[in-house]
Amino acid sequence: MNLNTIFYKDGPWAFILLLPSLIGFLIFVLFPVVASFFLSFTSWDLLTPIQWIGFENYINLFNDETFKKVLWNTLYFTVVTVPVGIIISLFLAVALNQKIRFIKFYRAAYFLPVISSMVAVAVVWQWIYNPEYGLLNFILSLTGIQGPSWLSDTKWAMPAVMITSIWKGLGFNMLIFLAGIQGISESYYEAADIDGATWFKKFLYITVPLLRPTTFFVTVMAIIGSFQVFDAVFLMTGGGPARSTSVLVHYLYQNGFEYFRMGYASAMAYILFFLVLIFTFIQFTLQKKRGEV
């Protein structure tokens, strides 16, 4: 049976079975993407007719001091949370790759925050950060340190949100790294043992180099996720105090659904899209030069 026969026999049924997903993709993904691109060149408040204004939204964005602040906050969030989260996740994966008792329980425990609702996570961490009866300030008081008002202090609010975000995402990255580590042949480590290599040298010269494709994937996903952070900011601080924790997606949400500046919000969405695209392209280019993509 040749390919043409297979296509004409099974093609219509395959199309029918894929049709619900295709319709969902067209309505809920492709159409909003195209519509938002068109809206980014317009002024629209959901109530009055759409007005074409060309590149005015994009020009206003780069003259908007609030936009510059939330862009800086987003970059700051990304630069800190991505490397810290990856490093901690990698060491956790190495630790949880050992043959110890209750290893499955430990793996499940570290992965639990990933599947937990962000609402529940935010409530728990808001209690931990509470300046009067929070667990964190209580522990600091035992050492004679007076803890700050974490979520209402412009200096500490963003680090507090970062810690929560890193904690919630550790399990996912850990799981990916764990799968990568288990795909490394034991013969490398056995040869290193014969040569008398320490665990650190085995980690540095065997585990890390052979995990580069996995690290690349984790890094790209982490960068994309960090640029799109919203729920932690929205639930824990609302972007405050004084916009010290407001990020691009949060400001986009406010413009679109609080200020009803849909064109302005759409322009901001495409700025975010191009930022993610640029960072992802840089990552692919660097990996391609190393011959790993």
Side-chain angles (χ1 to χ4, degrees):
M1 186 179 293
N2 58 37
L3 292 176
N4 289 331
T5 304
I6 294 173
F7 175 78
Y8 286 111
K9 181 180 179 181
D10 299 331
W13 279 108
F15 179 77
I16 291 171
L17 293 172
L18 290 171
L19 192 59
S21 296
L22 181 61
I23 292 172
F25 173 79
L26 292 174
I27 295 175
F28 297 109
V29 178
L30 187 60
F31 174 73
V33 168
V34 175
S36 63
F37 181 72
F38 168 75
L39 289 174
S40 70
F41 299 100
T42 67
S43 175
W44 185 41
D45 62 2
L46 298 178
L47 299 176
T48 58
I50 298 174
Q51 295 181 352
W52 181 267
I53 59 173
F55 289 94
E56 188 174 328
N57 283 326
Y58 292 95
I59 295 170
N60 290 339
L61 271 176
F62 290 101
N63 294 321
D64 184 349
E65 293 301 321
T66 303
F67 174 75
K68 293 177 183 177
K69 183 174 180 61
V70 300
L71 177 59
W72 166 254
N73 288 344
T74 306
L75 293 173
Y76 173 42
F77 183 92
T78 300
V79 168
V80 174
T81 59
V82 170
V84 172
I86 289 174
I87 291 170
I88 297 175
S89 299
L90 177 57
F91 280 105
L92 277 177
V94 172
L96 294 177
N97 192 46
Q98 309 303 314
K99 295 178 181 179
I100 56 176
R101 295 181 63 185
F102 308 116
I103 189 63
K104 292 183 180 179
F105 168 78
Y106 295 133
R107 290 173 182 172
Y110 278 106
F111 190 74
L112 188 61
V114 177
I115 60 175
S116 299
S117 166
M118 189 61 218
V119 175
V121 170
V123 169
V124 170
W125 279 91
Q126 281 176 323
W127 170 75
I128 292 173
Y129 289 134
N130 188 282
E132 297 179 3
Y133 51 82
L135 180 62
L136 183 55
N137 278 3
F138 171 73
I139 294 173
L140 291 175
S141 68
L142 297 178
T143 62
I145 300 174
Q146 184 178 358
S149 299
W150 292 93
L151 298 177
S152 57
D153 188 319
T154 55
K155 181 180 179 181
W156 292 104
M158 181 59 90
V161 174
M162 288 178 181
I163 291 170
T164 304
S165 299
I166 291 170
W167 176 82
K168 191 178 188 308
L170 281 178
F172 176 79
N173 293 337
M174 177 206 71
L175 193 66
I176 301 299
F177 276 126
L178 187 60
I181 290 171
Q182 292 181 347
I184 299 174
S185 174
E186 287 292 330
S187 60
Y188 294 108
Y189 297 103
E190 292 171 358
D193 287 332
I194 295 172
D195 292 335
T198 63
W199 73 269
F200 182 74
K201 286 187 176 180
K202 287 189 287 185
F203 171 78
L204 191 62
Y205 296 110
I206 298 176
T207 306
V208 172
L210 293 178
L211 278 181
R212 280 178 183 167
T214 306
T215 305
F216 168 68
F217 171 78
V218 170
T219 302
V220 170
M221 296 301 294
I223 289 175
I224 293 173
S226 63
F227 269 103
Q228 295 177 339
V229 63
F230 169 76
D231 46 7
V233 170
F234 181 77
L235 293 167
M236 296 181 70
T237 64
R243 288 206 176 272
S244 60
T245 60
S246 185
V247 289
L248 271 175
V249 178
H250 178 256
Y251 190 46
L252 187 158
Y253 165 83
Q254 285 185 314
N255 276 277
F257 300 102
E258 291 182 8
Y259 312 148
F260 300 109
R261 302 169 67 188
M262 299 303 295
Y264 199 63
S266 297
M268 204 176 306
Y270 270 88
I271 293 295
L272 175 62
F273 166 75
F274 283 114
L275 282 174
V276 173
L277 184 66
I278 290 168
F279 275 90
T280 305
F281 176 76
I282 292 171
Q283 286 289 320
F284 270 95
T285 302
L286 292 175
Q287 289 296 109
K288 193 172 184 179
K289 286 183 177 179
R290 296 171 182 168
E292 296 171 7
V293 175

